[in-house]
Each structure stands twice: as C-alpha cells, then as structure tokens.
Amino acid sequence: MTPITAPWTELAPVGLTELVDRAALQTRVDRKYVVPLDELPELLAQLSPYARVLDIDGVRAFRYESVYFDTPRLASYHCAAYRRRRRFKVRTRSYLDSAQCWLEVKISGARGSLTKHRLPYRPQDRATVQPGRTFVQEALEREAVCPTVDSTLDPVLVTTYRRATLLLPATASRVTVDTDLTWRCGDRTLRLPDLAVVETKTSRAASVADRLLWQRGTRPVRISKYATGLAALRPELPDSPWRRTLRRHFRDSTPSTGTTPSTIARSVQEASCV
C-alpha cells in the first residue's frame, strides 16, 4: 500500500452527482501547491474532519490525460508567460478509467478568477480540436478572447496523472490532489514521481485546506500543468512566471528522450483510453 492510499480510507465518500451539485465551480479561484508525496498522509489526516472524497464504485483516485493545444506561435503559452490580463487554454481532458472525454476552454481573468467552458467529446478525437472548433471559437469570443481567429490549434503537450478529489461541504469548495505526474512533448518525457500538486478551488475565500497548508509553511506557487511543463521540456521558452517553481521542483528531474512517436497527435491516438 502506497503512502497516499491509506488516508483516503479515513474520509467519508461523496458521489459524483453530489460533488457536482454542491461544488461545480465553473467560475472560481484556484490556488496551487507543490507538496512532497511523503507529506500527503499527514495533510489528509488533518483534512479528514472537514472533507469527503469522491468515490466511484470504490475507486478514489482516477487516471487523467490532458492534451493541450496552441497556435503555431504558442499564443496561449506566451499569454501566460507575459502575464496577459486575459489568458486562455484549450485542451481535451480524458478520464481514462471511464473512457469519457471533454473539450475544454479555460479563461483566466482579473484577480485570479477562472471560467471553464466544456463540451462532451469523443475519446478518439482527443488529439484534435477540429470537431469542436466552433465551440472553441464561440467560447473565446464570448469571453472577449479572440487570439486564434484564422489560426490552427495543434496538440503541443500531453500530461497524465492520477487525481483524487475532495469536497469541503462547509464552503462548497473542492481540493484536487494529483500524483504520478508525467509530461510529454514530442519524444521528450518528464516525470515527477515524488511530488503532488494540490489545488484548492473556491468561489473566493480561502478554504480550510488552504489554511492548513499555510500553517504547515506551504504557500501557493505559480504552476500550470501546461505552461510550466512546456517550459521544463523546452528551456528556450520564456519562463519568468514559473522560474522559481521550475528551479525548486523541476530542474532536478531531467527530461528523458524515449522511443515514443515524435508527434503528439500520433502518440495520443495510439494510447488506450480504457
């Protein structure tokens, strides 16, 4: 039994429908933390009086895959790197244990707010935005973010990880805990097996999870699975917003060059989504 497994058994379960009804939070404030894997059991034990864990048929940690899309000039990445006021991400998110997939457009706005637009998607299309191009364009226009007009959106980065999701009923907020973190860009792969990314998702005010992390001396960090991962795999890109996170958590993990296909689209299409 791994160190992260036992604490989930101490938390009361919550079903997916109740979790979504009570804390959908499509518009929200996210705070992200990088936590050593061996510190998670104690943190989860502290959270147990306040939290319930998503449980689906007895499973409490689920495999995810995200494919991130960008323009040929990496408009999405550079908007984040240069801290543009209005930023966007386009990705497909696959829930590998249930073979479900969504096309998502995330818009970052003022004061850390985030709005997400989602469209059910076919898993076999997760390496392309073409079937959902109209949805993407309408979402960007609705949010007054229109940098991709007449531009292609190609797959740039693939992330995989295992996620557990907590509901904090008192504040209708959520906490996600991501482990087994892996990034792929072309034939380069980066893994961070000893770290977890803990993310709190609230309407605005800090949650009990935030306060417990602060008491432990763990502060929010700037980390984006897309932008930070791409910066780690492509060091020639500007990385100012995530430089401290990269130096502290990523730079000791050297990306490896594998024998996987050199295009992300091909590698995703060949992957199993079962």
Side-chain angles (χ1 to χ4, degrees), residues 79 83-88 107-110 113 142-145:
C79 280
R83 307 302 295 169
R84 299 290 187 258
R85 187 177 67 88
R86 302 286 284 173
R87 304 184 297 276
F88 75 99
I107 309 295
S108 299
S113 65
R142 191 180 310 125
E143 299 287 344
V145 180

Side-chain angles (χ1 to χ4, degrees), residues 15-271:
L16 181 59
T17 300
E18 183 180 355
L19 176 72
V20 172
D21 287 345
R22 299 187 65 172
L25 294 173
Q26 294 300 90
T27 300
R28 64 186 190 238
V29 174
D30 294 348
R31 298 176 181 88
K32 301 176 183 180
Y33 307 84
V34 177
V35 178
L37 196 64
D38 59 8
E39 294 183 12
L40 274 179
E42 183 179 350
L43 173 63
L44 295 171
Q46 290 178 307
L47 274 173
S48 61
Y50 312 101
R52 298 166 65 188
V53 62
L54 175 64
D55 186 303
I56 300 177
D57 297 329
V59 178
R60 296 189 171 192
F62 305 89
R63 294 177 302 141
Y64 282 54
E65 177 193 83
S66 295
V67 182
Y68 290 90
F69 300 86
D70 213 332
T71 67
R73 295 188 177 184
L74 301 180
S76 174
Y77 178 88
H78 283 96
C79 280
Y82 294 113
R83 307 302 295 169
R84 299 290 187 258
R85 187 177 67 88
R86 302 286 284 173
R87 304 184 297 276
F88 75 99
K89 290 178 188 172
V90 178
R91 73 184 180 196
T92 57
R93 167 165 286 179
S94 299
Y95 301 85
L96 300 180
D97 296 298
S98 61
Q100 294 183 8
C101 185
W102 297 80
L103 176 62
E104 300 182 342
V105 181
K106 298 177 69 175
I107 309 295
S108 299
R111 298 181 181 178
S113 65
L114 184 147
T115 303
K116 183 191 293 186
H117 304 269
R118 306 183 85 203
L119 176 73
Y121 218 54
R122 299 195 311 168
Q124 58 266 41
D125 291 331
R126 67 193 188 279
T128 176
V129 298
Q130 289 309 311
R133 184 57 187 264
T134 299
F135 166 80
V136 171
Q137 207 59 49
E138 289 178 349
L140 293 174
E141 291 172 358
R142 191 180 310 125
E143 299 287 344
V145 180
C146 310
T148 62
V149 175
D150 298 326
S151 294
T152 59
L153 284 169
D154 297 316
V156 173
L157 186 75
V158 178
T159 67
T160 58
Y161 50 95
R162 192 174 297 273
R163 168 168 290 185
T165 301
L166 311 183
L167 170 68
L168 305 178
T171 54
S173 55
R174 285 185 284 136
V175 180
T176 58
V177 182
D178 297 341
T179 57
D180 297 336
L181 297 154
T182 301
W183 290 261
R184 298 199 314 275
C185 178
D187 62 353
R188 292 171 63 80
T189 299
L190 175 67
R191 295 180 176 87
L192 297 180
D194 299 323
L195 295 176
V197 174
V198 176
E199 187 169 351
T200 64
K201 306 167 191 287
T202 68
S203 57
R204 179 65 60 180
S207 69
V208 63
D210 293 291
R211 291 192 292 271
L212 285 171
L213 284 159
W214 298 345
Q215 290 169 11
R216 298 168 61 88
T218 304
R219 309 302 296 180
V221 299
R222 285 185 174 177
I223 184 170
S224 156
K225 284 196 180 69
Y226 173 51
T228 312
L230 192 61
L233 288 166
R234 294 185 54 181
E236 77 278 8
L237 293 173
D239 62 3
S240 179
W242 317 285
R243 192 166 296 157
R244 180 177 297 180
T245 302
L246 286 164
R247 286 174 177 169
R248 184 172 181 181
H249 301 294
F250 283 70
R251 294 308 189 200
D252 289 338
S253 298
T254 304
S256 61
T257 301
T259 58
T260 55
S262 60
T263 64
I264 287 177
R266 182 179 171 192
S267 66
V268 171
Q269 288 165 355
E270 289 179 353

